Amino acid sequence: MTQSIIFDMDGTLFQTDKILELSLEDTFNHLRAQNKWEKETPIDKYREIMGVPLTKVWETLLPDHSISDREQTDSYFLERLIDNIKSGKGALYPNVKKIFSYLKENNCMIYIASNGLIAYLNAIVSYYQLDNWVTETFSIQQIESLNKSNLVQNIIEKYGITTGAVVGDRLSDINAAKENRLVSIGCNFDFAKEEELSQADIVIDDLMELKKFY
């Protein structure tokens, strides 16, 4: 029987932390140059909400700014992220390509479902050549609700998935699995929170642990 595994991207496959602070600092320096920010770069606050759609990020980080300012900041931040990815400043988590190869050899279909934007995801997939293993990458941008569970539902409907799992580091990934009757596998990585992981069916500390189940 073919198994389907849907992976989150940030904090699960891609070590976002390596380019996050750099890109966020660039972005807030840009705001400072426009006299639109005076305080320190809110990196800690961003870490707290890591994994939510970017529209929610800027509502949280720039609560007193206009929608126009947030949209412009979002665009600039995305440019910086992509430039840093293409410059090789990011990294995949250990064993991503090894576990992908193993899963493909063992009749598993691999998908990515992420709250990241399409251009950002494409940059990662392209730079690390993940499309050698990944059937398709889905962005939250593709659905109006901006809800991870709905995004996973779209993948299930498109590919006729009946059995499988969602692998991710945050509660939105765990809920996306449960609400779509898939196994939830929590990754105890950089952005994970213990109270969220406690709700997953399985918790792993390294992606190679997936071999135990597939």
Side-chain angles (χ1 to χ4, degrees):
M1 180 186 293
T2 300
Q3 291 275 357
S4 298
I5 307 181
I6 302 169
F7 288 87
D8 174 45
M9 178 67 88
D10 292 314
T12 299
L13 298 177
F14 185 66
Q15 295 188 56
T16 318
D17 211 25
K18 291 188 178 294
I19 61 169
L20 174 64
E21 189 167 347
L22 188 62
S23 302
L24 206 62
E25 193 64 52
D26 287 345
T27 301
F28 277 85
N29 282 337
H30 182 65
L31 287 171
R32 291 183 187 99
Q34 297 177 307
N35 295 315
K36 292 182 178 179
W37 190 262
E38 296 178 351
K39 296 174 281 186
E40 291 183 2
T41 300
I43 183 69
D44 289 336
K45 185 175 284 189
Y46 191 104
R47 289 175 188 274
E48 289 175 14
I49 59 172
M50 185 69 193
V52 304
L54 279 174
T55 51
K56 300 294 184 184
V57 166
W58 302 117
E59 286 175 15
T60 304
L61 299 189
L62 303 175
D64 301 322
H65 288 64
S66 67
I67 292 175
S68 175
D69 280 343
R70 291 176 193 163
E71 288 175 346
Q72 290 173 20
T73 303
D74 188 29
S75 295
Y76 187 84
F77 182 59
L78 181 61
E79 288 175 12
R80 298 309 308 138
L81 284 171
I82 290 173
D83 284 348
N84 285 323
I85 291 165
K86 291 181 176 179
S87 300
K89 294 176 182 175
L92 297 176
Y93 276 96
N95 301 318
V96 168
K97 293 185 177 182
K98 283 185 181 179
I99 196 61
F100 276 8
S101 294
Y102 172 85
L103 292 172
K104 288 291 281 187
E105 288 169 5
N106 285 274
N107 206 30
C108 290
M109 301 293 289
I110 300 170
Y111 307 91
I112 292 172
S114 171
N115 282 334
L117 300 183
I118 293 170
Y120 166 74
L121 296 173
N122 286 346
I124 297 172
V125 170
S126 175
Y127 186 84
Y128 296 101
Q129 300 179 320
L130 297 183
D131 47 7
N132 287 335
W133 304 277
V134 177
T135 300
E136 188 171 352
T137 298
F138 293 79
S139 163
I140 204 71
Q141 237 180 325
Q142 295 169 243
I143 56 169
E144 289 185 15
S145 68
L146 300 180
N147 182 287
K148 191 72 166 281
S149 296
N150 292 345
L151 186 61
V152 169
Q153 182 183 2
N154 280 8
I155 301 173
I156 289 171
E157 290 174 353
K158 179 172 182 177
Y159 287 97
I161 294 170
T162 55
T163 58
V166 176
V167 181
D169 65 316
R170 299 307 303 269
L171 187 59
S172 60
D173 304 303
I174 295 166
N175 286 340
K178 292 189 173 184
E179 290 170 19
N180 287 286
R181 299 182 180 180
L182 300 177
V183 176
S184 57
I185 301 177
C187 295
N188 189 21
F189 298 168
D190 295 324
F191 300 105
K193 295 184 177 181
E194 187 176 347
E195 64 271 21
E196 295 183 358
L197 290 178
S198 67
Q199 299 184 49
D201 297 316
I202 298 165
V203 177
I204 60 174
D205 296 306
D206 187 294
L207 290 169
M208 290 305 285
E209 291 179 46
L210 292 173
K211 291 177 72 172
K212 292 187 289 189
F213 311 106
Y214 299 96

